[in-house]
Amino acid sequence: MTRNAGGLEATGIELEVSATPIDGLDVFFTMTAADRKYVDIPASNGTGNIPCSNTPEPTNCTTVRDAPVRFPTSQAALGGNYVLPFELLGGELSVNGSVSYSATYWTCTYNDTGIVFGVPFGSAAGTAPVQAYLSLVPSTTLVNVGATWES
Protein backbone atom coordinates (compact mmCIF):
# COMPACT_ATOMS: atom_id res chain seq x y z
CA MET A 1 0.00 0.00 0.00
CA THR A 2 1.42 3.37 -0.96
CA ARG A 3 0.26 6.47 0.88
CA ASN A 4 1.51 9.80 2.09
CA ALA A 5 1.54 9.92 5.87
CA GLY A 6 3.50 13.11 6.51
CA GLY A 7 6.94 14.49 5.85
CA LEU A 8 10.45 13.12 5.60
CA GLU A 9 13.50 14.99 6.81
CA ALA A 10 16.86 13.77 5.53
CA THR A 11 20.39 15.06 5.71
CA GLY A 12 23.49 13.34 4.50
CA ILE A 13 26.59 13.25 2.37
CA GLU A 14 27.38 11.66 -0.95
CA LEU A 15 30.81 11.12 -2.45
CA GLU A 16 31.68 9.96 -5.97
CA VAL A 17 35.23 9.51 -7.20
CA SER A 18 36.39 8.13 -10.52
CA ALA A 19 39.89 7.94 -11.95
CA THR A 20 42.01 6.53 -14.76
CA PRO A 21 45.33 5.86 -13.01
CA ILE A 22 46.87 4.13 -16.06
CA ASP A 23 45.85 3.66 -19.69
CA GLY A 24 43.00 1.18 -19.95
CA LEU A 25 42.11 1.16 -16.23
CA ASP A 26 39.07 3.02 -14.92
CA VAL A 27 38.18 2.84 -11.22
CA PHE A 28 35.33 4.31 -9.18
CA PHE A 29 34.18 4.69 -5.58
CA THR A 30 30.80 5.94 -4.34
CA MET A 31 29.54 6.38 -0.79
CA THR A 32 26.42 7.79 0.84
CA ALA A 33 25.52 8.31 4.48
CA ALA A 34 22.19 9.70 5.63
CA ASP A 35 20.25 10.60 8.72
CA ARG A 36 16.54 10.44 8.02
CA LYS A 37 13.28 10.56 9.96
CA TYR A 38 9.56 11.04 9.52
CA VAL A 39 8.15 14.39 10.66
CA ASP A 40 4.71 16.03 10.71
CA ILE A 41 2.82 12.73 10.86
CA PRO A 42 -0.97 13.00 11.39
CA ALA A 43 -2.15 11.45 14.67
CA SER A 44 -4.46 9.05 12.81
CA ASN A 45 -3.26 7.60 9.51
CA GLY A 46 -3.66 3.84 9.80
CA THR A 47 -6.41 1.30 9.36
CA GLY A 48 -9.76 2.51 10.72
CA ASN A 49 -8.41 6.02 11.42
CA ILE A 50 -7.43 4.90 14.95
CA PRO A 51 -4.85 7.20 16.58
CA CYS A 52 -1.40 5.79 15.89
CA SER A 53 -0.29 6.60 19.43
CA ASN A 54 -2.37 3.66 20.70
CA THR A 55 -0.53 0.66 22.11
CA PRO A 56 -0.24 -1.68 20.38
CA GLU A 57 0.15 0.48 17.32
CA PRO A 58 -2.72 -0.08 14.83
CA THR A 59 -1.94 -1.85 11.55
CA ASN A 60 -0.44 0.30 8.79
CA CYS A 61 0.22 3.31 11.04
CA THR A 62 3.21 5.49 10.37
CA THR A 63 4.72 7.28 13.38
CA VAL A 64 7.86 9.30 14.05
CA ARG A 65 9.21 6.12 15.72
CA ASP A 66 9.26 4.31 12.36
CA ALA A 67 12.33 4.30 10.11
CA PRO A 68 11.80 5.61 6.57
CA VAL A 69 11.31 2.79 4.07
CA ARG A 70 13.76 1.76 1.33
CA PHE A 71 16.29 4.28 2.67
CA PRO A 72 19.43 2.70 4.17
CA THR A 73 21.63 4.86 6.39
CA SER A 74 24.71 3.99 4.32
CA GLN A 75 25.72 2.56 0.97
CA ALA A 76 29.05 2.21 -0.84
CA ALA A 77 30.50 0.75 -4.03
CA LEU A 78 34.01 0.20 -5.36
CA GLY A 79 34.82 -1.08 -8.82
CA GLY A 80 36.84 -0.90 -11.95
CA ASN A 81 37.29 -1.88 -15.59
CA TYR A 82 40.51 -2.80 -17.36
CA VAL A 83 40.80 -3.04 -21.16
CA LEU A 84 43.49 -5.33 -22.59
CA PRO A 85 44.15 -4.85 -26.33
CA PHE A 86 44.83 -7.99 -28.40
CA GLU A 87 45.92 -6.54 -31.74
CA LEU A 88 47.01 -9.93 -33.16
CA LEU A 89 43.48 -11.26 -32.58
CA GLY A 90 41.82 -8.07 -33.78
CA GLY A 91 40.03 -7.15 -30.58
CA GLU A 92 40.19 -6.29 -26.92
CA LEU A 93 39.23 -7.93 -23.64
CA SER A 94 37.51 -5.87 -20.95
CA VAL A 95 37.63 -7.23 -17.42
CA ASN A 96 35.50 -5.56 -14.77
CA GLY A 97 34.46 -6.02 -11.19
CA SER A 98 32.75 -4.27 -8.34
CA VAL A 99 31.71 -4.74 -4.74
CA SER A 100 28.78 -2.86 -3.23
CA TYR A 101 27.34 -2.62 0.27
CA SER A 102 23.97 -1.46 1.59
CA ALA A 103 23.04 -1.15 5.27
CA THR A 104 19.77 -2.65 6.55
CA TYR A 105 16.52 -0.97 5.56
CA TRP A 106 12.79 -1.51 5.92
CA THR A 107 10.24 -2.13 3.16
CA CYS A 108 7.20 -1.34 5.33
CA THR A 109 6.50 1.66 7.57
CA TYR A 110 5.20 -0.63 10.32
CA ASN A 111 8.70 -1.17 11.67
CA ASP A 112 9.12 0.31 15.14
CA THR A 113 7.51 -2.79 16.65
CA GLY A 114 7.44 -4.92 13.50
CA ILE A 115 8.43 -8.18 15.19
CA VAL A 116 6.44 -11.26 14.25
CA PHE A 117 6.60 -14.89 15.37
CA GLY A 118 6.09 -17.74 12.94
CA VAL A 119 7.04 -21.29 12.07
CA PRO A 120 9.50 -21.47 9.19
CA PHE A 121 7.94 -22.67 5.92
CA GLY A 122 8.35 -26.40 5.41
CA SER A 123 9.09 -27.10 9.09
CA ALA A 124 7.96 -30.29 10.76
CA ALA A 125 4.92 -30.28 13.02
CA GLY A 126 5.77 -29.09 16.51
CA THR A 127 8.61 -26.81 15.38
CA ALA A 128 8.94 -23.84 17.70
CA PRO A 129 8.10 -20.42 16.25
CA VAL A 130 11.00 -18.10 15.51
CA GLN A 131 11.13 -14.34 15.93
CA ALA A 132 11.61 -12.26 12.78
CA TYR A 133 11.45 -8.60 11.90
CA LEU A 134 8.62 -7.80 9.53
CA SER A 135 9.97 -6.35 6.27
CA LEU A 136 13.57 -5.80 7.42
CA VAL A 137 16.08 -6.24 4.59
CA PRO A 138 19.45 -7.22 6.08
CA SER A 139 22.69 -5.48 5.19
CA THR A 140 23.91 -6.75 1.85
CA THR A 141 27.25 -7.01 0.10
CA LEU A 142 27.26 -7.85 -3.62
CA VAL A 143 30.28 -8.83 -5.68
CA ASN A 144 30.13 -8.63 -9.49
CA VAL A 145 32.74 -9.72 -12.01
CA GLY A 146 32.61 -9.81 -15.77
CA ALA A 147 34.56 -10.02 -18.97
CA THR A 148 33.74 -8.86 -22.52
CA TRP A 149 35.46 -9.62 -25.81
CA GLU A 150 35.01 -7.01 -28.52
CA SER A 151 36.33 -7.48 -32.03
Side-chain angles (χ1 to χ4, degrees), residues 17 19 24-30 76-83 93-101 141-148:
V17 178
L25 176 62
D26 295 317
V27 293
F28 70 88
F29 173 74
T30 64
L78 173 67
N81 183 62
Y82 188 61
V83 178
L93 177 66
S94 296
V95 180
N96 60 71
S98 66
V99 60
S100 62
Y101 167 81
T141 301
L142 297 175
V143 176
N144 293 296
V145 294
T148 304

Coordinates of all heavy atoms in Angstrom, one line a residue, residues 17 19 24-30 76-83 93-101 141-148:
V17 N 33.9 9.3 -6.7 CA 35.2 9.5 -7.2 C 35.5 8.5 -8.3 O 35.1 7.3 -8.2 CB 36.3 9.3 -6.1 CG1 37.7 9.4 -6.6 CG2 36.1 10.2 -4.9
A19 N 38.5 7.6 -11.5 CA 39.9 7.9 -12.0 C 40.3 6.9 -13.0 O 39.8 5.8 -13.1 CB 40.9 7.9 -10.8
G24 N 43.8 2.4 -19.9 CA 43.0 1.2 -19.9 C 42.3 0.8 -18.6 O 41.5 0.0 -18.6
L25 N 42.7 1.5 -17.5 CA 42.1 1.2 -16.2 C 41.3 2.3 -15.7 O 41.8 3.4 -15.6 CB 43.2 0.8 -15.2 CG 42.7 0.6 -13.8 CD1 41.8 -0.7 -13.7 CD2 43.9 0.4 -12.8
D26 N 40.0 2.0 -15.5 CA 39.1 3.0 -14.9 C 38.6 2.4 -13.6 O 38.2 1.3 -13.5 CB 37.9 3.3 -15.8 CG 38.2 3.9 -17.1 OD1 39.0 4.8 -17.1 OD2 37.7 3.5 -18.2
V27 N 38.6 3.3 -12.5 CA 38.2 2.8 -11.2 C 37.2 3.9 -10.7 O 37.2 5.0 -11.1 CB 39.3 2.7 -10.2 CG1 40.2 1.5 -10.6 CG2 40.2 3.9 -10.1
F28 N 36.3 3.4 -9.8 CA 35.3 4.3 -9.2 C 35.1 3.9 -7.7 O 35.3 2.8 -7.3 CB 34.0 4.3 -10.0 CG 33.2 3.1 -9.9 CD1 32.3 2.9 -8.8 CD2 33.4 2.0 -10.8 CE1 31.6 1.7 -8.7 CE2 32.7 0.9 -10.7 CZ 31.8 0.7 -9.7
F29 N 34.6 4.9 -7.0 CA 34.2 4.7 -5.6 C 33.0 5.6 -5.3 O 33.1 6.8 -5.7 CB 35.3 5.0 -4.6 CG 34.9 5.0 -3.2 CD1 34.6 3.8 -2.5 CD2 34.7 6.1 -2.5 CE1 34.2 3.7 -1.2 CE2 34.3 6.1 -1.1 CZ 34.0 4.9 -0.5
T30 N 31.9 5.1 -4.7 CA 30.8 5.9 -4.3 C 30.4 5.6 -2.9 O 30.6 4.5 -2.4 CB 29.6 5.7 -5.2 OG1 29.1 4.4 -5.1 CG2 29.9 6.0 -6.7
A76 N 27.7 1.9 -0.2 CA 29.1 2.2 -0.8 C 29.3 1.2 -2.0 O 28.7 0.1 -2.0 CB 30.2 2.1 0.2
A77 N 30.1 1.6 -2.9 CA 30.5 0.7 -4.0 C 31.9 1.1 -4.5 O 32.3 2.3 -4.4 CB 29.5 0.9 -5.2
L78 N 32.7 0.1 -4.9 CA 34.0 0.2 -5.4 C 34.1 -0.7 -6.6 O 33.7 -1.9 -6.5 CB 35.0 -0.2 -4.3 CG 36.5 -0.3 -4.7 CD1 37.0 1.1 -5.0 CD2 37.3 -0.9 -3.6
G79 N 34.7 -0.2 -7.7 CA 34.8 -1.1 -8.8 C 35.8 -0.5 -9.8 O 36.4 0.5 -9.7
G80 N 35.9 -1.3 -10.9 CA 36.8 -0.9 -12.0 C 36.7 -1.7 -13.2 O 36.0 -2.7 -13.2
N81 N 37.3 -1.2 -14.3 CA 37.3 -1.9 -15.6 C 38.7 -1.7 -16.2 O 39.3 -0.6 -16.2 CB 36.2 -1.2 -16.5 CG 36.1 -1.9 -17.8 OD1 35.8 -3.0 -17.9 ND2 36.4 -1.1 -18.9
Y82 N 39.2 -2.8 -16.7 CA 40.5 -2.8 -17.4 C 40.4 -3.4 -18.8 O 39.8 -4.5 -19.0 CB 41.5 -3.6 -16.5 CG 42.9 -3.4 -17.0 CD1 43.6 -2.2 -17.1 CD2 43.7 -4.5 -17.5 CE1 44.9 -2.0 -17.5 CE2 45.0 -4.4 -18.0 CZ 45.6 -3.1 -18.0 OH 46.8 -3.0 -18.4
V83 N 40.9 -2.6 -19.8 CA 40.8 -3.0 -21.2 C 42.2 -3.5 -21.6 O 43.2 -2.8 -21.5 CB 40.3 -1.9 -22.1 CG1 40.3 -2.3 -23.5 CG2 38.9 -1.4 -21.6
L93 N 39.9 -7.3 -24.8 CA 39.2 -7.9 -23.6 C 39.0 -6.9 -22.5 O 40.0 -6.3 -22.1 CB 40.1 -9.1 -23.1 CG 39.5 -9.9 -21.9 CD1 38.2 -10.6 -22.3 CD2 40.5 -10.8 -21.4
S94 N 37.8 -6.7 -22.1 CA 37.5 -5.9 -21.0 C 37.2 -6.7 -19.8 O 36.3 -7.6 -19.8 CB 36.3 -5.0 -21.3 OG 36.6 -4.1 -22.3
V95 N 37.9 -6.5 -18.7 CA 37.6 -7.2 -17.4 C 37.1 -6.2 -16.4 O 37.8 -5.1 -16.2 CB 38.9 -7.9 -16.9 CG1 38.7 -8.7 -15.6 CG2 39.5 -8.8 -18.0
N96 N 36.0 -6.5 -15.7 CA 35.5 -5.6 -14.8 C 35.0 -6.3 -13.5 O 34.8 -7.5 -13.5 CB 34.4 -4.8 -15.4 CG 33.2 -5.7 -15.8 OD1 32.5 -6.2 -15.0 ND2 33.1 -5.8 -17.1
G97 N 34.9 -5.5 -12.5 CA 34.5 -6.0 -11.2 C 34.0 -4.9 -10.3 O 34.4 -3.8 -10.4
S98 N 33.2 -5.3 -9.3 CA 32.7 -4.3 -8.3 C 32.3 -5.0 -7.1 O 31.9 -6.2 -7.1 CB 31.6 -3.4 -8.9 OG 30.5 -4.1 -9.1
V99 N 32.3 -4.3 -6.0 CA 31.7 -4.7 -4.7 C 30.9 -3.6 -4.2 O 31.3 -2.4 -4.2 CB 32.8 -5.2 -3.7 CG1 33.8 -4.1 -3.4 CG2 32.2 -5.8 -2.5
S100 N 29.7 -3.9 -3.8 CA 28.8 -2.9 -3.2 C 28.2 -3.3 -1.9 O 28.0 -4.5 -1.7 CB 27.7 -2.5 -4.2 OG 26.9 -3.6 -4.5
Y101 N 27.9 -2.4 -1.1 CA 27.3 -2.6 0.3 C 26.1 -1.7 0.5 O 26.1 -0.5 0.1 CB 28.4 -2.3 1.3 CG 27.8 -2.3 2.7 CD1 27.6 -3.5 3.4 CD2 27.5 -1.1 3.3 CE1 27.0 -3.4 4.7 CE2 26.9 -1.1 4.6 CZ 26.7 -2.2 5.3 OH 26.1 -2.2 6.5
T141 N 26.0 -7.3 0.9 CA 27.2 -7.0 0.1 C 27.2 -7.8 -1.2 O 26.9 -9.0 -1.1 CB 28.5 -7.4 0.9 OG1 28.6 -6.6 2.1 CG2 29.8 -7.1 0.1
L142 N 27.3 -7.2 -2.3 CA 27.3 -7.8 -3.6 C 28.6 -7.7 -4.3 O 29.2 -6.7 -4.3 CB 26.2 -7.2 -4.5 CG 24.8 -7.3 -4.0 CD1 23.9 -6.5 -5.0 CD2 24.3 -8.7 -4.0
V143 N 29.0 -8.8 -4.9 CA 30.3 -8.8 -5.7 C 29.9 -9.2 -7.1 O 29.2 -10.2 -7.4 CB 31.3 -9.8 -5.1 CG1 32.5 -9.9 -6.0 CG2 31.6 -9.5 -3.7
N144 N 30.4 -8.4 -8.1 CA 30.1 -8.6 -9.5 C 31.4 -8.7 -10.2 O 32.3 -7.9 -10.0 CB 29.3 -7.5 -10.1 CG 27.9 -7.5 -9.6 OD1 27.1 -8.4 -9.7 ND2 27.5 -6.4 -8.9
V145 N 31.6 -9.6 -11.1 CA 32.7 -9.7 -12.0 C 32.2 -10.0 -13.4 O 31.2 -10.6 -13.6 CB 33.8 -10.8 -11.6 CG1 34.4 -10.4 -10.3 CG2 33.1 -12.2 -11.5
G146 N 33.0 -9.6 -14.4 CA 32.6 -9.8 -15.8 C 33.8 -9.6 -16.7 O 34.8 -9.1 -16.4
A147 N 33.6 -10.2 -17.9 CA 34.6 -10.0 -19.0 C 33.8 -9.9 -20.3 O 32.8 -10.5 -20.5 CB 35.5 -11.2 -19.0
T148 N 34.3 -9.1 -21.2 CA 33.7 -8.9 -22.5 C 34.8 -8.9 -23.6 O 35.9 -8.2 -23.4 CB 33.0 -7.5 -22.6 OG1 32.1 -7.4 -21.5 CG2 32.3 -7.3 -23.9

